Structures are given as structure tokens and as C-alpha cells.
Amino acid sequence: MTELGPVAWPPAPIRTERLVLREPEARDRAAFIELLASPEVHTYLGGPRPRDELEHGVPEISERRPGLFVIDLDGAMIGMVKLVRHDAESPGRVRPDVGQAELGYLFLPEAWGRGYGAEACAAALDWFADTLPGERVVLRTQTANERSMRLAAKLGFTEVERYEGYGAEQWLGVWSSVRISPPRPTTFP
């Protein structure tokens, strides 16, 4: 992983209408454990991790991870969003021809269905576009994950391919801050 390359980390907190995207803090530990141990959250991600393993493995003070934002609602963590750039040695199926940066997100089940995912991910993508202009971002999800598929569409990701992976059909989409205008019609005299 190349993290975010030349980007200074952490940036100032990003504020949206309802949320704050910020660097993780010690007070977020319990929410991280809940997020990683939740069977609902990990339905399409290979299953939850054992809670006792997380209790022993998640540090009291998280290490700095460039690209990882905590999603804060009224002073409490409700999820996370991350933007990570992959290099040639990174595991996974990100195609270098469509982009090196990947968007990922997890939200606690009680935060689902309220638009927080779209609000937080859009803010993170806007920050990324301002920080690394013109760089494309990919998103992978299982096609069976209807919520994630709807979010990808809402955020403006365009399908690149579907493939079989991890025992299920996967979806790969790409997003770019650079929008190409459709050609203008030619008028003849």
C-alpha cells in the first residue's frame, strides 16, 4: 500500500451538514470493535471477526492511518470511510488501468438508512478530488449488497466490470472528479 502518497495527514476535520470526518481517537475504540465484530456489517465482507480477538488486538490508541476517517455524529463514531491508494504489490483485484485509489466504508447498523453513507463518502471524495486532482477512485462490492450498490450509483461510480471473487459476484466501479462533457451538437447552416 502506498497510503496516500504525498498527502499531509491528517487533514483538518471535514464538516458536512450533519457529520464530521476526522482522524480516529482513543474514544473510538469501542465503536471500532463493534464495527469489526458486527455480523450485520460483515454480511458481504466474509463475516465478522471474533470480539475477544478484537478486544485483545485493537490498540487503546489507534495508529495513524492516512486515508482513514472516523464518521462522527454528535460526538460519537457511527462508522468509518477510507481512501487508500494501491501499488503494484497490493493484494486484491483493483485494476491499475481504472485507478489506484479505493474507497471503502463501514457503518454501524443503527446508522443505516439515514443518508449518512452518501453524505460522508461524498465529503471524502470531494476532499480527495481537491487533494489529488484528476485521480480516479475505485469501489468494490458484492452485487448482492443492494445498499452498497445504491450508494455507489448515488456517488456517481460507473461500472467497469463484474467478476467472481470470494464465492460471490463482485462489482467494480470507478469515480472521477474530472467530468467529460458530452460533445456539443454540430449545427450546419
Side-chain angles (χ1 to χ4, degrees):
M1 299 284 188
T2 60
E3 301 297 338
L4 289 175
V7 176
W9 192 263
I14 301 168
R15 298 183 188 286
T16 69
E17 184 178 326
R18 302 176 292 174
L19 307 171
V20 176
L21 281 66
R22 60 173 172 76
E23 185 175 32
E25 299 172 356
R27 65 184 167 125
D28 303 318
R29 184 177 187 273
F32 269 113
I33 291 171
E34 186 60 36
L35 200 59
L36 298 173
S38 169
E40 295 87 4
V41 172
H42 290 273
T43 298
Y44 302 102
L45 298 171
R49 293 186 37 205
R51 186 174 295 279
D52 61 337
E53 176 186 301
L54 293 165
E55 291 286 352
H56 290 92
V58 174
E60 291 295 325
I61 299 173
S62 68
E63 61 188 59
R64 181 166 279 166
R65 290 189 176 157
L68 176 66
F69 293 99
V70 161
I71 309 306
D72 185 309
L73 174 67
D74 298 328
M77 178 181 163
I78 61 166
M80 55 157 274
V81 63
K82 66 179 181 174
L83 285 156
V84 179
R85 292 171 78 203
H86 295 277
D87 59 26
E89 289 78 41
S90 296
R93 187 184 168 99
V94 174
R95 289 179 26 187
D97 62 314
V98 294
Q100 292 181 330
E102 183 173 10
L103 175 70
Y105 44 84
L106 297 173
F107 288 85
L108 293 168
E110 56 267 23
W112 295 357
R114 296 191 170 106
Y116 299 138
E119 188 173 330
C121 289
L125 288 168
D126 286 347
W127 169 83
F128 188 81
D130 288 343
T131 305
L132 294 165
E135 188 162 334
R136 295 181 293 179
V137 178
V138 297
L139 170 68
R140 296 181 282 178
T141 189
Q142 281 190 23
T143 56
N145 187 342
E146 294 174 7
R147 288 179 183 271
S148 193
M149 293 292 292
R150 283 193 305 269
L151 179 56
K154 187 179 279 188
L155 293 170
F157 280 84
T158 304
E159 183 174 324
V160 173
E161 73 173 318
R162 292 179 187 220
Y163 60 94
E164 191 69 25
Y166 309 104
E169 183 181 55
Q170 306 293 322
W171 183 89
L172 175 67
V174 66
W175 176 91
S176 175
S177 61
V178 177
R179 302 290 181 215
I180 299 171
S181 301
R184 295 174 64 181
T186 305
T187 56
F188 297 97

